Amino acid sequence: MGEERSGYLYGLLAYTLWGFFPIYFKLLKPATPLEILAHRVIWSVAFVGLLLAVMRNWRFLAKLLRSPRQFGGMALAALLIAVNWAVYIYGVNSDRVLETALGYFITPLVLVVFGVTLERERLRRWQWAAVGLGAAAVVVLTVDYGRLPYIALALAASFGSYGLVKKRMSLPPAQGLFVESGVLALPALAYLIWLTAAGHAEFGHVSVPHTLLMIGAGVATAVPLLLFAAAANRVSMVGIGILQYVAPILQLACGLLLFHEPMPPARLAGFCLVWVALIIFTADAIRQNRRKQNRRKRTVTGPTAATAEPVTALPPR
């Protein structure tokens, strides 16, 4: 199997696992979202720490501790991903799986908005069209819900912000997850100690399978991330961008087919607007990627004779 094909396989596995997360987190009830989050953090540290110990890869910690700015960035990333995890677990266990799926559908559009407002990037006209449709979808869904779809917006904003912070970091996924979970480990452990002392902890008091599933939350967190890293090293960013829709599509299917959440016509219209926006956004990204590839090919294989016409780059749009 070639590198690219294996990359797509790793990516598909990662996003498929993320897509079935609603089923996993539903099984962790009656534990509260905060208890689930705390265990997810603690067992992520344990699992990834064991993995790094086997790999004997601890040099990054010394480098990180010598760079307060980088450590501060990782601490901010940890806070943002904790918010994202907490909101997601709350959404799933309060029977709003469809809204969590919506959050990950609109994340690419939120990233575009961040690019304009924070990175001062210029949008192409089709990107503006996609963002406009996404804004219209939020309006339609707000009318349908009778409120802002705050779970979806919080998921998109927190994960988009996390992506921006991570863009400036240089740690590989395993090391990054270890540091982020490590930053959160002490507050998580303190919360679990308090919860147990107060007699409100569900861990170890429901059943053996429930306890094992709580412990397994760390593995469930780390494995898709490591698969994603393997995919990202082998597949183009456009390919990864298309694969990322697998997870919310599966989450949507879980919400509709397994948990029988309602999808009235107005809500369906809002989702359709989001899907049209994503089709426009993805098609524009593919077109731009092809143009860049064609430019590179023309630069490499273009005429070199003195009398030949110079190769001119396509104008940006």
Side-chain angles (χ1 to χ4, degrees):
M1 183 182 293
E3 284 289 296
E4 187 175 17
R5 291 183 66 182
S6 63
Y8 276 107
L9 177 60
Y10 290 137
L12 186 61
L13 284 172
Y15 282 110
T16 299
L17 289 172
W18 279 325
F20 287 121
F21 263 19
I23 299 174
Y24 192 96
F25 287 117
K26 285 276 190 183
L27 294 173
L28 301 185
K29 295 172 74 173
T32 64
L34 279 180
E35 184 178 3
I36 295 170
L37 173 62
H39 278 284
R40 188 176 184 181
V41 168
I42 295 297
W43 298 113
S44 292
V45 172
F47 176 74
V48 180
L50 179 62
L51 185 64
L52 292 174
V54 171
M55 296 167 59
R56 298 181 180 179
N57 190 355
W58 294 104
R59 296 179 187 174
F60 72 95
L61 278 178
K63 181 181 177 182
L64 187 65
L65 292 174
R66 288 196 300 267
S67 175
R69 182 177 179 182
Q70 192 176 37
F71 185 79
M74 294 303 298
L76 177 58
L79 177 62
L80 290 168
I81 200 62
V83 170
N84 184 266
W85 288 353
V87 172
Y88 181 78
I89 295 167
Y90 169 76
V92 168
N93 285 347
S94 60
D95 300 322
R96 297 177 187 176
V97 173
L98 294 184
E99 196 172 339
T100 65
L102 175 65
Y104 291 111
F105 275 127
I106 65 176
T107 295
L109 303 178
V110 170
L111 284 170
V112 170
V113 173
F114 283 176
V116 173
T117 57
L118 301 178
E119 302 289 310
R120 298 184 179 180
E121 296 174 1
R122 295 181 62 184
L123 293 189
R124 298 180 293 273
R125 63 171 178 264
W126 287 113
Q127 289 177 317
W128 276 117
V131 171
L133 283 172
V138 171
V139 172
V140 170
L141 290 166
T142 298
V143 173
D144 176 67
Y145 282 116
R147 57 171 175 81
L148 276 172
Y150 61 88
I151 290 176
L153 293 176
L155 285 173
S158 59
F159 197 73
S161 301
Y162 174 75
L164 280 178
V165 173
K166 291 285 283 185
K167 183 180 177 182
R168 293 167 170 81
M169 301 294 106
S170 59
L171 284 180
Q175 288 88 330
L177 180 61
F178 179 80
V179 174
E180 291 161 14
S181 300
V183 169
L184 300 170
L186 283 178
L189 185 59
Y191 175 74
L192 290 177
I193 291 172
W194 172 83
L195 198 67
T196 302
H200 301 312
E202 299 293 344
F203 180 75
H205 296 91
V206 177
S207 65
V208 172
H210 181 269
T211 300
L212 293 175
L213 284 170
M214 291 283 276
I215 294 172
V219 179
T221 297
V223 169
L225 185 66
L226 297 175
L227 287 170
F228 172 79
N233 290 333
R234 294 169 172 83
V235 180
S236 69
M237 289 307 296
V238 171
I240 290 293
I242 294 172
L243 281 173
Q244 74 177 342
Y245 300 130
V246 170
I249 287 171
L250 290 175
Q251 291 169 10
L252 181 72
C254 287
L256 286 175
L257 303 178
L258 295 181
F259 308 133
H260 307 293
E261 294 186 12
M263 178 67 90
R267 195 168 305 171
L268 179 60
F271 271 85
C272 286
L273 284 173
V274 171
W275 295 331
V276 172
L278 291 176
I279 290 171
I280 293 172
F281 178 80
T282 304
D284 179 72
I286 292 172
R287 186 181 64 175
Q288 287 301 122
N289 186 63
R290 285 177 178 170
R291 285 187 172 185
K292 289 179 182 178
Q293 289 178 347
N294 288 337
R295 268 199 293 260
R296 282 195 287 266
K297 287 179 182 177
R298 293 164 92 180
T299 300
V300 172
T301 63
T304 57
T307 57
E309 296 260 339
V311 179
T312 56
L314 292 169
R317 297 182 63 183

